[in-house]
């Protein structure tokens, strides 16, 4: 068994390395690659993806997993080896269903589509990417149809990101959450909006970068195993557990854009940096799911980064870094500004209260696209209609409408967006559990100390990688299943105090 286990790890390690090479090519395309490299980059990413898929679906891996199953069953379910065999089998059985050529086709197409999107969005040119998006939809359906027997065509795509979730389950959660959020949004937006003029003065990018990196160092992001670069749409990526990178963007007339993108991506990165190093090169060396991953980015961005406690410590330092911009702005005004609730167009810039409504719109639209009840040519109109109905605001152009998110232009349609709202829900559950276990956390945050919180997350979540499913991880850390209760309690307490809502 020991010899077979080592052979399995060796083969899985080759797959992992190839996948990390693919991630490196993707990071370079999104950061430093000149525009002229786009065509070749798509070909290169497809080549690496096909080779990785060949190795990942090799019959020898299937045979090794079959031979090792009795050994896995002899171990405690929580044992690392048992988890490795279990997760590797699940991954293998999923990947072996998707033809190698389809993987290569999707990767090459996604690279070309992303390149076109980087030009189409600033040019407000949906027509330029419409044929690419139609092909993306076709490829997405073909991938989903590799998994016959689904209830909804989106189910296989959702399952790839949030294992165990289905369209029906997500819809039920979203319906429950929407019923709670809409009255809260209405109560807040009926009042005069917060004054956020202080965020829209001139903030030089270099100084923004220095201040943001100061905060995430304090959070626990390790720059010895990471770095931050610029991109069109911020993201986190890794090339090994010793090389976990983040990207951001700066708007010199919107302090919150770069600052909170940096805090957000550091949450993703600290999760990956905290995975047990012995998991390197195996399927365990990843986050549990898109939702759990998002819970960490949103926890650090919002529950910590937009808290009054943190800014009681950091606001004097921010004023010192930007005296001309903030000397006349008291903490209360700044705190209300960074938590301003408004009906807005851009998901990534939206506040905590309306954010999930943006996600629900995208989720519903991609289900309609996959079902065939909505055609790509009608997507901009459908997008604008939903924004008018759900948020009372109509995008003035496609750049701030259907073109704003990179997701449908850099990968499949389906499976990406639900994780954001699932993550928001879980962020409050995890934070509440951390504070219950370590009651000093909130007072420490007000002193600029984050070690206790980071340590709890490291022990309870990060170190496990993908060893446990989302449901298992929630049960272990919070004592129960996914629950919108703590999230709504957090929003009502925070915004109820801010807007005097009972």
């Amino acid at each position: 068994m020991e010899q077979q286990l080592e052979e399995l790890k060796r083969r899985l390690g080759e797959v992992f390395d190839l996948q990390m090479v693919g991630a490196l090519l993707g990071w370079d395309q999104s950061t430093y690659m000149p525009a002229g490299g786009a065509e070749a980059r798509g070909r290169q990413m497809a080549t690496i993806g096909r080779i990785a898929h060949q190795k990942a679906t090799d019959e020898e891996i299937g045979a090794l997993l079959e031979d090792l199953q009795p050994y896995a069953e002899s171990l405690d379910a929580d044992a690392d080896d048992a988890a490795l065999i279990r997760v590797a089998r699940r991954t293998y059985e999923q990947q072996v269903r998707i033809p190698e050529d389809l993987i290569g086709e999707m990767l090459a197409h996604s690279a070309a589509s992303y390149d076109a999107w980087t030009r189409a969005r600033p040019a407000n040119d949906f027509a330029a990417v419409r044929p690419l998006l139609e092909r993306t939809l076709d490829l997405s359906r073909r991938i989903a149809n590799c998994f016959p027997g689904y209830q909804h065509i989106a189910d296989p795509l959702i399952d790839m990101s949030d294992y165990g979730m289905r369209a029906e389950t997500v819809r039920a959660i979203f319906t429950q959450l929407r019923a709670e959020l809409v009255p809260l949004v209405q109560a807040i937006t009926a009042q005069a909006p917060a004054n956020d003029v202080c965020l829209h003065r001139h903030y030089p990018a270099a100084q923004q970068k220095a201040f943001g990196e100061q905060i995430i160092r304090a959070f626990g992001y390790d720059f010895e195993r990471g770095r931050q670069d610029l991109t069109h749409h911020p993201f986190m990526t890794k090339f090994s557990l010793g090389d976990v990178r983040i990207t951001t963007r700066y708007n010199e007339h919107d302090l919150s854009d770069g600052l909170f993108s940096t805090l957000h991506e550091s949450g993703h990165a600290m999760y990956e940096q905290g995975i047990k190093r012995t998991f390197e090169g195996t399927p365990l060396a990843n986050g549990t799911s898109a939702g759990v991953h998002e819970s960490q980015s949103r926890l650090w961005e919002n529950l910590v980064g937009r808290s009054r406690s943190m800014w009681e410590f950091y606001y004097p330092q921010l004023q010192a870094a930007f005296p001309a911009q903030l000397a006349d702005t008291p903490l209360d005004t700044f705190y209300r500004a960074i938590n301003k609730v408004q009906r807005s167009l851009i998901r990534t810039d939206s506040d905590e209260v309306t954010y999930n409504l943006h996600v629900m719109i995208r989720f519903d639209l991609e289900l309609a696209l996959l079902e065939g009840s909505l055609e790509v040519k009608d997507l901009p109109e459908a997008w604008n209609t939903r924004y008018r109905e759900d948020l009372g605001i109509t995008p003035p152009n496609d750049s701030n409408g259907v073109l704003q998110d990179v997701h449908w232009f850099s990968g499949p349609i389906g499976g990406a967006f639900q994780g954001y709202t699932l993550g928001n829900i879980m962020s409050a559950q995890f934070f509440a559990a951390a504070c219950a276990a370590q009651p000093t956390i909130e007072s420490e945050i007000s002193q600029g100390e984050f070690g206790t919180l980071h340590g709890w997350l490291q022990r309870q979540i990060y170190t496990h990688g993908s060893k446990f499913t989302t449901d298992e991880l929630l049960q272990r850390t919070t004592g129960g299943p996914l629950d919108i209760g703590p999230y709504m309690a957090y929003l009502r307490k925070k915004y109820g105090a801010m807007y005097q809502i009972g």
Side-chain angles (χ1 to χ4, degrees):
M1 289 296 110
E2 184 176 340
Q3 186 176 355
Q4 288 176 304
L5 185 61
E6 288 306 309
E7 176 62 12
L8 176 66
K9 289 180 179 179
R10 184 190 70 77
R11 288 176 176 272
L12 293 175
E14 287 184 342
V15 175
F16 182 88
D17 287 344
L18 287 164
Q19 291 170 337
M20 295 305 98
V21 170
L24 178 56
L25 291 173
W27 169 84
D28 179 67
Q29 181 185 29
S30 299
T31 52
Y32 296 107
M33 187 192 79
E39 182 178 351
R41 183 52 49 87
R43 186 178 67 248
Q44 293 157 1
M45 293 174 74
T47 298
I48 291 293
R50 279 195 299 268
I51 296 171
H53 189 70
Q54 287 171 1
K55 289 185 173 293
T57 57
D58 191 303
E59 291 180 357
E60 286 298 318
I61 288 183
L64 286 165
L65 289 168
E66 196 65 34
D67 290 346
L68 286 164
Q69 188 60 29
Y71 169 63
E73 292 171 355
S74 73
L75 301 172
D76 186 284
D78 286 355
D80 288 351
D81 284 351
L84 170 61
I85 295 166
R86 181 170 62 247
V87 174
R89 175 182 282 275
R90 187 172 74 219
T91 303
Y92 176 80
E93 290 176 350
Q94 180 187 80
Q95 291 183 326
V96 78
R97 289 174 174 242
I98 307 175
E100 171 193 325
D101 289 346
L102 181 53
I103 293 289
E105 193 175 350
M106 175 58 92
L107 288 168
H109 171 71
S110 296
S113 179
Y114 172 81
D115 178 65
W117 172 82
T118 62
R119 296 187 299 276
R121 186 185 179 194
N124 187 35
D125 189 1
F126 180 76
V129 292
R130 176 183 152 187
L132 294 165
L133 198 56
E134 288 172 340
R135 187 172 177 217
T136 299
L137 179 58
D138 176 63
L139 289 167
S140 303
R141 287 172 173 160
R142 286 167 58 192
I143 290 172
N145 285 325
C146 293
F147 300 86
Y150 52 69
Q151 290 182 323
H152 190 284
I153 190 171
D155 288 350
L157 301 167
I158 293 170
D159 190 68
M160 290 177 193
S161 298
D162 287 289
Y163 174 69
M165 280 287 175
R166 301 290 183 269
E168 182 182 14
T169 313
V170 176
R171 275 175 164 161
I173 294 166
F174 283 7
T175 298
Q176 181 187 15
L177 185 60
R178 182 185 174 83
E180 300 275 354
L181 286 174
V182 169
L184 184 60
V185 171
Q186 292 173 339
I188 294 172
T189 55
Q191 301 184 34
N195 180 356
D196 65 349
V197 171
C198 64
L199 301 178
H200 299 285
R201 294 162 179 165
H202 182 247
Y203 292 89
Q207 291 167 251
Q208 289 190 53
K209 180 176 186 290
F211 191 82
E213 290 186 355
Q214 174 191 344
I215 294 180
I216 63 174
R217 284 181 193 275
F219 280 0
Y221 179 62
D222 183 359
F223 275 91
E224 292 296 313
R225 295 189 291 140
R227 57 178 288 140
Q228 180 171 239
D229 296 275
L230 297 177
T231 191
H232 294 281
H233 191 107
F235 64 94
M236 179 281 305
T237 190
K238 75 167 183 288
F239 313 135
S240 72
L241 296 181
D243 188 353
V244 184
R245 306 186 187 190
I246 61 176
T247 63
T248 194
R249 63 187 176 204
Y250 298 107
N251 180 340
E252 293 199 332
H253 296 283
D254 185 352
L255 176 64
S256 63
D257 193 356
L259 175 59
F260 290 105
S261 290
T262 295
L263 305 191
H264 179 98
E265 299 306 334
S266 78
H268 282 301
M270 287 186 289
Y271 186 1
E272 296 282 347
Q273 287 183 336
I275 294 172
K276 187 186 292 189
R277 296 300 289 271
T278 56
F279 290 171
E280 182 86 74
T282 76
L284 299 182
N286 295 295
T288 294
S289 66
V292 173
H293 232 302
E294 197 64 24
S295 77
Q296 298 312 297
S297 59
R298 299 295 279 180
L299 186 155
W300 288 101
E301 176 194 356
N302 291 330
L303 282 87
V304 176
R306 294 183 196 269
S307 70
R308 185 180 177 88
S309 297
M310 193 188 93
W311 290 106
E312 286 174 359
F313 180 83
Y314 274 107
Y315 189 57
Q317 297 181 42
L318 185 66
Q319 286 180 305
F322 298 102
Q325 297 87 341
L326 294 171
D328 64 345
T329 304
L331 173 58
D332 279 348
T333 301
F334 176 78
Y335 174 64
R336 287 178 66 85
I338 62 173
N339 289 289
K340 180 180 180 178
V341 176
Q342 61 183 338
R343 301 176 187 274
S344 61
L345 294 170
I346 309 298
R347 175 186 63 85
T348 55
D349 296 340
S350 63
D351 57 86
E352 290 180 276
V353 184
T354 63
Y355 181 92
N356 296 297
L357 299 179
H358 292 263
V359 173
M360 292 174 194
I361 290 171
R362 288 153 177 77
F363 182 75
D364 288 345
L365 290 175
E366 64 185 9
L367 292 195
L369 286 167
L370 288 164
E371 292 166 357
S373 58
L374 174 64
E375 295 184 35
V376 170
K377 68 180 178 64
D378 299 322
L379 183 58
E381 182 181 351
W383 181 288
N384 293 348
T385 298
R386 282 296 301 271
Y387 264 79
R388 188 163 52 250
E389 293 174 350
D390 291 19
L391 287 161
I393 187 169
T394 302
N397 53 49
D398 290 336
S399 295
N400 290 318
V402 72
L403 289 172
Q404 69 176 265
D405 288 296
V406 70
H407 303 69
W408 294 338
F409 305 97
S410 62
I413 292 173
F417 283 110
Q418 77 285 333
Y420 290 114
T421 289
L422 297 176
N424 279 332
I425 296 168
M426 285 186 273
S427 70
Q429 289 186 260
F430 289 135
F431 190 74
C435 291
Q438 303 286 342
T440 62
I441 283 175
E442 294 197 69
S443 63
E444 289 175 8
I445 288 172
S446 67
Q447 299 168 43
E449 297 175 4
F450 308 98
T452 302
L453 174 59
H454 187 275
W456 187 90
L457 294 168
Q458 166 70 36
R459 293 188 302 275
Q460 301 298 326
I461 299 173
Y462 300 172
T463 190
H464 300 306
S466 59
K467 182 175 177 177
F468 301 111
T469 66
T470 300
D471 288 346
E472 290 168 346
L473 194 64
L474 279 168
Q475 191 67 46
R476 291 172 62 92
T477 55
T478 72
L482 185 73
D483 180 10
I484 71 167
Y487 181 56
M488 289 308 306
Y490 158 72
L491 290 178
R492 289 196 180 98
K493 179 180 178 182
K494 177 177 179 176
Y495 291 93
M498 198 178 304
Y499 288 92
Q500 290 79 53
I501 299 170

